[in-house]
Amino acid sequence: MKRITGRRLQRLREQLFTRNPLCVRCQELGLTALATQRDHIVSLEEGGLDVEANTQGLCDLHHDEKSLAERLRARRRPG
């Protein structure tokens, strides 16, 4: 499946942040921060789909932490 881009991506981001404007990871920690990144719960590189059910809003900090963890896992995979 091809990654969503352009106007369609912008519309999906807007819909996601309208439904839940807060970072889901911050909320889990009892904190409040605006979501700024449309994140794939299961990354596309790890087999996730670019569909609404596989997205969440994250703040920049939590998105960066999650992306780093994904990159580190990718380095450890045989390939």
Side-chain angles (χ1 to χ4, degrees), residues 23-36:
C23 170
V24 296
R25 182 68 180 126
C26 284
Q27 288 179 297
E28 291 169 358
L29 297 171
L31 304 170
T32 303
L34 287 176
T36 55

Side-chain angles (χ1 to χ4, degrees), residues 4-59:
I4 297 170
T5 60
R7 288 187 179 146
R8 183 170 177 220
L9 174 60
Q10 294 308 313
R11 186 174 62 252
L12 291 172
R13 283 175 46 86
E14 181 180 336
Q15 290 169 353
L16 174 66
F17 298 148
T18 298
R19 277 194 312 278
N20 186 3
L22 301 178
C23 170
V24 296
R25 182 68 180 126
C26 284
Q27 288 179 297
E28 291 169 358
L29 297 171
L31 304 170
T32 303
L34 287 176
T36 55
Q37 301 289 326
R38 178 182 180 263
D39 176 69
H40 293 97
I41 297 166
V42 177
S43 73
L44 302 180
E45 292 77 16
E46 294 177 323
L49 299 176
D50 202 356
V51 296
E52 181 181 338
N54 187 40
T55 62
Q56 63 185 351
L58 294 177
C59 67

